[in-house]
PDB file of all heavy atoms in Angstrom:
ATOM      1  N   LYS A 191     100.760 109.699 126.257  1.00  0.00           N
ATOM      2  CA  LYS A 191     101.333 110.483 125.160  1.00  0.00           C
ATOM      3  C   LYS A 191     100.838 109.976 123.809  1.00  0.00           C
ATOM      4  O   LYS A 191     100.522 110.759 122.916  1.00  0.00           O
ATOM      5  CB  LYS A 191     102.859 110.421 125.198  1.00  0.00           C
ATOM      6  CG  LYS A 191     103.502 111.230 126.296  1.00  0.00           C
ATOM      7  CD  LYS A 191     105.010 111.073 126.182  1.00  0.00           C
ATOM      8  CE  LYS A 191     105.746 111.878 127.215  1.00  0.00           C
ATOM      9  NZ  LYS A 191     107.197 111.732 127.075  1.00  0.00           N
ATOM     10  N   MET A 192     100.793 108.661 123.667  1.00  0.00           N
ATOM     11  CA  MET A 192     100.317 108.082 122.413  1.00  0.00           C
ATOM     12  C   MET A 192      98.846 108.410 122.179  1.00  0.00           C
ATOM     13  O   MET A 192      98.455 108.773 121.070  1.00  0.00           O
ATOM     14  CB  MET A 192     100.546 106.568 122.407  1.00  0.00           C
ATOM     15  CG  MET A 192     102.004 106.180 122.296  1.00  0.00           C
ATOM     16  SD  MET A 192     102.273 104.429 122.023  1.00  0.00           S
ATOM     17  CE  MET A 192     101.932 103.773 123.644  1.00  0.00           C
ATOM     18  N   ASN A 193      98.038 108.295 123.228  1.00  0.00           N
ATOM     19  CA  ASN A 193      96.614 108.619 123.110  1.00  0.00           C
ATOM     20  C   ASN A 193      96.402 110.085 122.767  1.00  0.00           C
ATOM     21  O   ASN A 193      95.475 110.433 122.045  1.00  0.00           O
ATOM     22  CB  ASN A 193      95.873 108.276 124.403  1.00  0.00           C
ATOM     23  CG  ASN A 193      95.674 106.801 124.581  1.00  0.00           C
ATOM     24  OD1 ASN A 193      95.783 106.034 123.628  1.00  0.00           O
ATOM     25  ND2 ASN A 193      95.388 106.386 125.799  1.00  0.00           N
ATOM     26  N   HIS A 194      97.251 110.949 123.298  1.00  0.00           N
ATOM     27  CA  HIS A 194      97.136 112.391 123.074  1.00  0.00           C
ATOM     28  C   HIS A 194      97.206 112.707 121.571  1.00  0.00           C
ATOM     29  O   HIS A 194      96.317 113.374 121.016  1.00  0.00           O
ATOM     30  CB  HIS A 194      98.255 113.097 123.836  1.00  0.00           C
ATOM     31  CG  HIS A 194      98.195 114.584 123.794  1.00  0.00           C
ATOM     32  ND1 HIS A 194      99.306 115.363 123.944  1.00  0.00           N
ATOM     33  CD2 HIS A 194      97.179 115.452 123.615  1.00  0.00           C
ATOM     34  CE1 HIS A 194      98.978 116.635 123.867  1.00  0.00           C
ATOM     35  NE2 HIS A 194      97.686 116.714 123.660  1.00  0.00           N
ATOM     36  N   GLY A 195      98.236 112.255 120.906  1.00  0.00           N
ATOM     37  CA  GLY A 195      98.382 112.502 119.476  1.00  0.00           C
ATOM     38  C   GLY A 195      97.314 111.798 118.651  1.00  0.00           C
ATOM     39  O   GLY A 195      96.803 112.340 117.667  1.00  0.00           O
ATOM     40  N   LEU A 196      96.948 110.579 119.069  1.00  0.00           N
ATOM     41  CA  LEU A 196      95.934 109.812 118.339  1.00  0.00           C
ATOM     42  C   LEU A 196      94.581 110.503 118.380  1.00  0.00           C
ATOM     43  O   LEU A 196      93.933 110.688 117.347  1.00  0.00           O
ATOM     44  CB  LEU A 196      95.823 108.403 118.923  1.00  0.00           C
ATOM     45  CG  LEU A 196      94.673 107.562 118.381  1.00  0.00           C
ATOM     46  CD1 LEU A 196      94.932 107.174 116.937  1.00  0.00           C
ATOM     47  CD2 LEU A 196      94.464 106.332 119.234  1.00  0.00           C
ATOM     48  N   ILE A 197      94.153 110.905 119.563  1.00  0.00           N
ATOM     49  CA  ILE A 197      92.840 111.540 119.706  1.00  0.00           C
ATOM     50  C   ILE A 197      92.813 112.858 118.956  1.00  0.00           C
ATOM     51  O   ILE A 197      91.820 113.203 118.312  1.00  0.00           O
ATOM     52  CB  ILE A 197      92.474 111.717 121.194  1.00  0.00           C
ATOM     53  CG1 ILE A 197      92.286 110.348 121.839  1.00  0.00           C
ATOM     54  CG2 ILE A 197      91.236 112.569 121.361  1.00  0.00           C
ATOM     55  CD1 ILE A 197      91.212 109.485 121.220  1.00  0.00           C
ATOM     56  N   ARG A 198      93.907 113.603 118.985  1.00  0.00           N
ATOM     57  CA  ARG A 198      93.954 114.869 118.249  1.00  0.00           C
ATOM     58  C   ARG A 198      93.782 114.612 116.749  1.00  0.00           C
ATOM     59  O   ARG A 198      93.035 115.294 116.070  1.00  0.00           O
ATOM     60  CB  ARG A 198      95.288 115.573 118.508  1.00  0.00           C
ATOM     61  CG  ARG A 198      95.312 117.019 118.050  1.00  0.00           C
ATOM     62  CD  ARG A 198      96.015 117.130 116.730  1.00  0.00           C
ATOM     63  NE  ARG A 198      95.980 118.500 116.247  1.00  0.00           N
ATOM     64  CZ  ARG A 198      95.920 118.789 114.972  1.00  0.00           C
ATOM     65  NH1 ARG A 198      95.872 117.851 114.068  1.00  0.00           N
ATOM     66  NH2 ARG A 198      95.902 120.042 114.585  1.00  0.00           N
ATOM     67  N   SER A 199      94.451 113.572 116.232  1.00  0.00           N
ATOM     68  CA  SER A 199      94.328 113.236 114.812  1.00  0.00           C
ATOM     69  C   SER A 199      92.919 112.766 114.467  1.00  0.00           C
ATOM     70  O   SER A 199      92.368 113.138 113.432  1.00  0.00           O
ATOM     71  CB  SER A 199      95.324 112.150 114.432  1.00  0.00           C
ATOM     72  OG  SER A 199      96.632 112.638 114.531  1.00  0.00           O
ATOM     73  N   LEU A 200      92.322 111.958 115.326  1.00  0.00           N
ATOM     74  CA  LEU A 200      90.969 111.456 115.070  1.00  0.00           C
ATOM     75  C   LEU A 200      89.942 112.582 115.071  1.00  0.00           C
ATOM     76  O   LEU A 200      89.063 112.629 114.207  1.00  0.00           O
ATOM     77  CB  LEU A 200      90.596 110.383 116.100  1.00  0.00           C
ATOM     78  CG  LEU A 200      91.377 109.078 116.021  1.00  0.00           C
ATOM     79  CD1 LEU A 200      90.973 108.146 117.159  1.00  0.00           C
ATOM     80  CD2 LEU A 200      91.181 108.396 114.689  1.00  0.00           C
ATOM     81  N   VAL A 201      90.056 113.502 116.037  1.00  0.00           N
ATOM     82  CA  VAL A 201      89.119 114.627 116.093  1.00  0.00           C
ATOM     83  C   VAL A 201      89.330 115.534 114.878  1.00  0.00           C
ATOM     84  O   VAL A 201      88.358 116.012 114.274  1.00  0.00           O
ATOM     85  CB  VAL A 201      89.265 115.405 117.419  1.00  0.00           C
ATOM     86  CG1 VAL A 201      88.441 116.679 117.400  1.00  0.00           C
ATOM     87  CG2 VAL A 201      88.840 114.536 118.597  1.00  0.00           C
ATOM     88  N   ASN A 202      90.570 115.763 114.487  1.00  0.00           N
ATOM     89  CA  ASN A 202      90.853 116.569 113.302  1.00  0.00           C
ATOM     90  C   ASN A 202      90.252 115.934 112.051  1.00  0.00           C
ATOM     91  O   ASN A 202      89.673 116.620 111.210  1.00  0.00           O
ATOM     92  CB  ASN A 202      92.359 116.755 113.135  1.00  0.00           C
ATOM     93  CG  ASN A 202      92.700 117.704 112.018  1.00  0.00           C
ATOM     94  OD1 ASN A 202      92.080 118.750 111.877  1.00  0.00           O
ATOM     95  ND2 ASN A 202      93.672 117.345 111.218  1.00  0.00           N
ATOM     96  N   ASN A 203      90.370 114.615 111.914  1.00  0.00           N
ATOM     97  CA  ASN A 203      89.789 113.915 110.770  1.00  0.00           C
ATOM     98  C   ASN A 203      88.265 113.993 110.786  1.00  0.00           C
ATOM     99  O   ASN A 203      87.637 114.091 109.736  1.00  0.00           O
ATOM    100  CB  ASN A 203      90.239 112.455 110.734  1.00  0.00           C
ATOM    101  CG  ASN A 203      91.688 112.310 110.338  1.00  0.00           C
ATOM    102  OD1 ASN A 203      92.276 113.213 109.751  1.00  0.00           O
ATOM    103  ND2 ASN A 203      92.273 111.180 110.682  1.00  0.00           N
ATOM    104  N   MET A 204      87.659 113.951 111.975  1.00  0.00           N
ATOM    105  CA  MET A 204      86.204 114.087 112.061  1.00  0.00           C
ATOM    106  C   MET A 204      85.767 115.481 111.628  1.00  0.00           C
ATOM    107  O   MET A 204      84.793 115.641 110.893  1.00  0.00           O
ATOM    108  CB  MET A 204      85.712 113.790 113.484  1.00  0.00           C
ATOM    109  CG  MET A 204      85.839 112.346 113.879  1.00  0.00           C
ATOM    110  SD  MET A 204      84.969 111.890 115.394  1.00  0.00           S
ATOM    111  CE  MET A 204      85.550 113.054 116.579  1.00  0.00           C
ATOM    112  N   VAL A 205      86.495 116.515 112.074  1.00  0.00           N
ATOM    113  CA  VAL A 205      86.167 117.895 111.700  1.00  0.00           C
ATOM    114  C   VAL A 205      86.296 118.072 110.190  1.00  0.00           C
ATOM    115  O   VAL A 205      85.418 118.657 109.542  1.00  0.00           O
ATOM    116  CB  VAL A 205      87.069 118.890 112.466  1.00  0.00           C
ATOM    117  CG1 VAL A 205      86.946 120.293 111.894  1.00  0.00           C
ATOM    118  CG2 VAL A 205      86.723 118.886 113.942  1.00  0.00           C
ATOM    119  N   THR A 206      87.367 117.552 109.604  1.00  0.00           N
ATOM    120  CA  THR A 206      87.556 117.637 108.155  1.00  0.00           C
ATOM    121  C   THR A 206      86.481 116.858 107.417  1.00  0.00           C
ATOM    122  O   THR A 206      85.955 117.313 106.400  1.00  0.00           O
ATOM    123  CB  THR A 206      88.944 117.102 107.759  1.00  0.00           C
ATOM    124  OG1 THR A 206      89.938 117.805 108.494  1.00  0.00           O
ATOM    125  CG2 THR A 206      89.198 117.255 106.280  1.00  0.00           C
TER     126      THR A 206
END
Side-chain angles (χ1 to χ4, degrees):
K191 286 181 178 181
M192 290 189 285
N193 286 342
H194 185 206
L196 172 70
I197 294 301
R198 193 260 177 213
S199 293
L200 293 176
V201 172
N202 186 44
N203 288 340
M204 291 192 307
V205 168
T206 305

